[in-house]
Amino acid sequence: MADKIKKLITVLLIAAFISGAVPESILPQAATAGAAVPSVQATAYVVMDANSGDVIYKKGMNKRIYPASTAKLMTAIVAVENIKDLDQAVRFTKKIKKMVPADASKLDLKAGTSYRIKQYLNMLLISSDADSAMVLAAGSGIPYSKFIELMNSTARSYGMDKTSFDNPMGLDTGNGYKKMYTSAYDYAVLARHAMSYEIIRNIVSKKTYKVPGRKGKPSFTIKNTNGFYSRYKLKNKEYKIIGSKTGTTSAAGHVLIATARDKAGHEVICAYFGGKSSANLYNGIEKLLDYTYKQYTNEKIVLATGFWDTRFRNSEKIICKHATSGAIPMREDGKFEPAIVTDTTNTINLINSISGLELGTGTNESLTVAGLAIAYYSSKGGITGDSLTDEELNIISSLANTEEFNISEQKQIAGLYLSGAMANVEIEDAKHSLTKEETVLIADLLT
């Protein structure tokens, strides 16, 4: 009887396969890149492609966790964004000192001394100093409550909808702060933003920092709390750690958001929360980063190539696309300098690389909109006609500095706009010199 039932089931399954009616749940599942992800003892983690923002691997990425001192990345962002003069000196007062729990003060700054905002930022991010966090939030000219409000509103603007701040230090329930929480995904996003600020990026890459001497206290050197710079140095890797932030509280466990980068410019963020020990934390992150870059090498996953100084611009995806394809040459440090204006030859070469065109380079110091239009239509054989059409006239009338060009050149300038190539830029001057960012956006639409 049992054999008959088995045969019947087999027949039914064959029929189902033929008809396409087999439920997905009983079909063998295709292996995914994440199927063999190393087992680590984190409460939650996210491995993110920093250049694209895509999540590569995850565990409990939306689970509520505590950020500990990784929250200081947001403190730094709010300070950089809202304090006008980062070279101004700010006094660390007794009132501010009383706001910092004794067990959170790493450097025990002396009340009455003053440091520049940039110096506080270094102490904040390198030594994870709570005194520096509090003076930035309460002593820099921004009301303390407003500073905390800015931390939360900035998080919302980043889409960090599972995050809340109620202090600039990263303290949580263990110190009576009940509105400090986040998710691994949110803090990977935060780190991606933080690493797009040159000043923050430079600070978190430092292994040490010399704090200047002040009245009654000589200068002293602090070490980065990021253990990858000291006791957990990585050897023989195809990538290196370039920064981000550590944290530890009883509620959070051991925490680190590590950012890694390989020589080709593939940047990966590993936001790791709830390590049971320091060794567990660094070992877990190393395993995940090793696996990620190995999977990329073996073509199991795709990593984008991009520039940290173009992240979160409207042009980000387009620039990242052409960096990944190799059309935009990468600098080793991953800097693009979007606002820079280069000479005509370099600008035309960039356009040709992206668009596949073969425009002549010319000899001018910089490429203007008019210069591009003339070069473009010269490669196409020019535009015929002795007068402007109504459409061309409307374009020319809306642009500055067109009167010195002849009718043929005006038709070419108007033609560039009418072709749609200028759709991603807002340029209303025919003699405007193109920046690198504008060049990429225009070249992306040139055919």
Side-chain angles (χ1 to χ4, degrees), residues 326-363:
I328 304 177
M330 287 286 294
R331 282 171 40 167
E332 188 175 350
D333 64 0
K335 193 170 185 179
F336 179 74
E337 297 181 302
I340 196 171
V341 175
T342 62
D343 60 74
T344 295
T345 298
N346 283 327
T347 305
I348 289 287
N349 285 340
L350 182 58
I351 290 171
N352 289 343
S353 178
I354 291 170
S355 66
L357 296 171
E358 296 182 357
L359 307 187
T361 57
T363 58

Side-chain angles (χ1 to χ4, degrees), residues 92-124:
F92 181 62
T93 65
K94 290 181 179 180
K95 181 180 179 181
I96 295 173
K97 190 172 183 67
K98 288 179 180 178
M99 298 172 73
V100 182
D103 61 348
S105 179
K106 295 289 183 69
L107 300 181
D108 192 25
L109 298 182
K110 186 176 181 180
T113 57
S114 297
Y115 294 95
R116 299 185 189 281
I117 296 295
K118 286 181 180 176
Q119 293 165 341
Y120 283 120
L121 285 168
N122 275 273
M123 292 185 280
L124 171 82

Side-chain angles (χ1 to χ4, degrees), residues 256-406:
L256 171 60
I257 306 175
T259 303
R261 184 181 179 86
D262 70 7
K263 290 182 179 179
H266 303 111
E267 206 161 294
V268 174
I269 294 168
C270 183
Y272 191 105
F273 294 85
K276 294 181 179 179
S277 66
S278 182
N280 163 260
L281 172 74
Y282 289 95
N283 181 257
I285 293 174
E286 182 180 0
K287 283 183 178 180
L288 291 170
L289 290 175
D290 282 353
Y291 182 74
T292 301
Y293 281 105
K294 189 69 173 177
Q295 291 292 90
Y296 169 73
T297 300
N298 292 337
E299 299 183 347
K300 300 293 185 182
I301 62 170
V302 175
L303 293 177
T305 304
F307 304 88
W308 55 263
D309 59 348
T310 59
R311 288 179 192 159
F312 313 108
R313 294 170 175 263
N314 293 333
S315 57
E316 176 187 9
K317 290 188 182 301
I318 294 174
I319 291 176
C320 187
K321 176 180 74 174
H322 293 298
T324 299
S325 73
I328 304 177
M330 287 286 294
R331 282 171 40 167
E332 188 175 350
D333 64 0
K335 193 170 185 179
F336 179 74
E337 297 181 302
I340 196 171
V341 175
T342 62
D343 60 74
T344 295
T345 298
N346 283 327
T347 305
I348 289 287
N349 285 340
L350 182 58
I351 290 171
N352 289 343
S353 178
I354 291 170
S355 66
L357 296 171
E358 296 182 357
L359 307 187
T361 57
T363 58
N364 295 331
E365 289 185 7
S366 63
L367 184 68
T368 63
V369 172
L372 172 59
I374 293 167
Y376 176 68
Y377 284 104
S378 293
S379 73
K380 298 282 188 180
I383 293 181
T384 59
D386 298 327
S387 62
L388 297 174
T389 67
D390 289 343
E391 279 188 312
E392 291 169 341
L393 182 59
N394 286 337
I395 295 294
I396 294 302
S397 299
S398 69
L399 299 176
N401 295 313
T402 56
E403 60 280 351
E404 65 184 70
F405 296 99
N406 60 39

Side-chain angles (χ1 to χ4, degrees), residues 69 72 97 99-108 128-131 169 171 174-175 177 248-250:
S69 286
K72 293 185 174 90
K97 190 172 183 67
M99 298 172 73
V100 182
D103 61 348
S105 179
K106 295 289 183 69
L107 300 181
D108 192 25
S128 200
D129 182 49
D131 291 342
M169 301 169 286
L171 299 180
N175 288 90
Y177 291 98
T248 307
T249 67
S250 296

Side-chain angles (χ1 to χ4, degrees), residues 165-197:
F165 296 96
D166 62 358
N167 71 89
M169 301 169 286
L171 299 180
D172 50 46
T173 55
N175 288 90
Y177 291 98
K178 298 181 180 179
K179 293 183 179 180
M180 174 66 74
Y181 53 82
T182 189
S183 70
Y185 174 76
D186 277 10
Y187 264 47
V189 171
L190 173 59
R192 187 169 180 253
H193 275 272
M195 293 296 282
S196 72
Y197 288 84

